[in-house]
Amino acid sequence: MITKGKTASLLAASALSVTGMQALAQDAQTQAELDALRARVEALESSNPGSGTGDLQIGNTTLDVYGYVKADFFYDFEYDQGDTAFVNVIGEPSAETDGTFGATVRQSRIGLRTSTPSGIGDIQGQIEVDAFGSDGTAEFRIRHANIRIGEQWLIGQYWTNFQPLDTYPTSVEFNGPVGIAFARVPQVRYTNNIGSNTTFAVSVEENVGGSDSDDPVLTGSVEYNDGKYIARASALYGKAQSGDVEVDQTGFSLSGSIRPWEGGLFQVNYVNGEALGPYLIGLGDAIVGGQANDVDGYTIEFRQDLSSKWNVGIAYGKEDYDLPTSTGTLSFTELETIHVNAFYKATDNLTLSAEYIYGERNDTISGDTFDGNRVQLAAQLNF
């Protein structure tokens, strides 16, 4: 469906207005309960991987098995976006549909954390898999596999240090809004504290696949987090390659979060860089026509507890590229998404959720703009 280019912005403004009225309802739910309710485990699941709770003891090593079973049911109205809702397929004739129902359990996952005391600090390990190992069928793949030495060193695969985990928007579907970095990579990372509420981290990482580079990536980040306010900055430097063309890959991100009242949450993320598209949800090309493809993106999210069991929210995301990325018959430079969702905590371990997703992309060839709508329901059992 062809729409006017400002549809997403107007829809976001209207939804924020409605949600803002709901934000007046305050409750006494604690921050810990809010974090448990937020189903976006991608952002919150493992701020300290390897710190097992001691489900099993073998010698002086504790082991903790964790994970969840999740079933998703979704309906795409105009374009079949797949089970991970990629907005960049909207508009493609091959994805056009009169309505498509889908279901998946591929987001389900299981992990193991270990912790062993030693003379150089606790040696912690983590391995975690989900079922996104192939395109369309449920096969296991490794999400995280890392070792931690004390509180400072992480060696192995984990979220890139460039990604703002603590302010990542909450969504029912897997990807979440465009306009933010999202990647897990092998790395060596050093983390330490500056005072009581501030941490910094530096890392040497493998590049993401879409960059087509064998050179390492250097990242650095600093974050202030006192429970009410979060402020974070990160930077990245690497190389991207396409054929015989190699360009610098650079970027920075700024993030902030505030809990302005009981049960309320407002947070923003901004990212800017050159040849940085492979790190973002929209997956824009790093190099186009022999030139680095500059991009900036951002997300805005508001959430509110309505009771001890209900949490609602809205998130808007956008990516703007200087040069077009081909998706088949079309090419985009702009992507936008809106996620409006609600989570119901049926029990301590069982969460039911619903989400409406609006996606919009342009086509630089025809000058047209296309949009797609999806509704999604899910049930998630944590263990």
Side-chain angles (χ1 to χ4, degrees):
M1 180 184 300
I2 300 176
T3 65
K4 294 182 179 179
K6 298 300 182 181
T7 302
S9 298
L10 292 173
L11 181 56
S14 299
L16 279 168
S17 177
V18 173
T19 311
M21 294 178 65
Q22 291 178 323
L24 296 176
Q26 299 183 7
D27 57 78
Q29 186 176 8
T30 66
Q31 178 183 332
E33 289 170 331
L34 173 63
D35 290 339
L37 181 61
R38 299 182 68 203
R40 186 64 181 179
V41 178
E42 301 298 331
L44 302 175
E45 63 185 357
S46 185
S47 60
N48 186 19
S51 55
T53 59
D55 289 351
L56 179 64
Q57 186 89 21
I58 300 179
N60 63 346
T61 298
T62 60
L63 298 92
D64 174 27
V65 177
Y66 69 94
Y68 60 74
V69 177
K70 186 171 186 244
D72 288 279
F73 305 89
F74 50 88
Y75 188 87
D76 287 316
F77 289 88
E78 297 89 5
Y79 298 96
D80 184 355
Q81 301 179 52
D83 57 9
T84 52
F86 276 108
V87 65
N88 50 18
V89 306
I90 290 175
E92 285 293 340
S94 60
E96 195 167 357
T97 179
D98 291 331
T100 299
F101 170 79
T104 183
V105 296
R106 294 206 296 162
Q107 195 175 328
S108 302
R109 65 197 54 171
I110 186 169
L112 174 67
R113 297 182 180 122
T114 71
S115 181
T116 306
S118 78
I120 58 174
D122 289 346
I123 308 297
Q124 304 169 350
Q126 179 193 30
I127 186 166
E128 178 182 309
V129 299
D130 65 13
F132 278 108
S134 64
D135 185 14
T137 59
E139 295 182 9
F140 284 127
R141 69 165 179 182
I142 292 179
R143 288 170 49 83
H144 302 300
N146 54 69
I147 301 165
R148 287 212 175 197
I149 303 174
E151 299 296 326
Q152 284 78 41
W153 290 98
L154 181 146
I155 305 169
Q157 181 162 300
Y158 190 57
W159 298 110
T160 171
N161 186 41
F162 186 63
Q163 178 178 340
L165 281 181
D166 290 336
T167 55
Y168 203 100
T170 299
S171 67
V172 178
E173 64 91 13
F174 182 76
N175 284 327
V178 299
I180 194 169
F182 181 84
R184 292 176 297 272
V185 291
Q187 61 190 275
V188 177
R189 184 190 302 187
Y190 176 79
T191 303
N192 214 325
N193 298 321
I194 306 173
S196 58
N197 296 317
T198 304
T199 61
F200 73 91
V202 293
S203 67
V204 179
E205 303 181 356
E206 182 182 54
N207 210 322
V208 294
S211 300
D212 293 327
S213 174
D214 295 330
D215 291 335
V217 172
L218 306 178
T219 79
S221 68
V222 60
E223 179 173 323
Y224 172 85
N225 187 342
D226 65 2
K228 181 177 181 179
Y229 300 99
I230 295 176
R232 186 181 195 271
S234 64
L236 172 150
Y237 176 78
K239 296 286 186 178
Q241 188 162 350
S242 177
D244 294 331
V245 177
E246 184 180 69
V247 300
D248 288 338
Q249 183 179 58
T250 62
F252 70 90
S253 70
L254 301 173
S255 304
S257 173
I258 182 174
R259 298 182 182 272
W261 50 73
E262 194 72 37
L265 175 66
F266 180 76
Q267 53 191 20
V268 297
N269 298 282
Y270 175 75
V271 61
N272 180 283
E274 57 180 358
L276 202 59
Y279 274 89
L280 305 186
I281 291 292
L283 296 176
D285 286 342
I287 301 173
V288 179
Q291 299 180 20
N293 193 5
D294 293 353
V295 60
D296 66 347
Y298 63 91
T299 67
I300 302 172
E301 182 184 28
F302 174 75
R303 308 204 63 80
Q304 178 65 45
D305 293 337
L306 300 182
S307 71
S308 61
K309 291 184 174 293
W310 282 98
N311 176 269
V312 298
I314 178 172
Y316 173 78
K318 186 173 184 179
E319 293 179 20
D320 280 315
Y321 293 86
D322 281 357
L323 303 172
T325 294
S326 174
T327 55
T329 61
L330 309 178
S331 296
F332 71 83
T333 55
E334 297 180 5
L335 301 172
E336 295 181 76
T337 57
I338 298 170
H339 291 64
V340 182
N341 48 50
F343 296 86
Y344 175 69
K345 190 177 180 182
T347 70
D348 286 344
N349 297 326
L350 177 63
T351 300
L352 308 177
S353 54
E355 185 167 67
Y356 164 71
I357 307 167
Y358 175 85
E360 183 176 299
R361 58 82 55 89
N362 73 331
D363 174 38
T364 60
I365 300 172
S366 66
D368 293 330
T369 302
F370 299 85
D371 67 5
N373 296 271
R374 163 181 281 199
V375 292
Q376 186 157 337
L377 305 174
Q380 178 174 315
L381 179 65
N382 297 324
F383 58 86

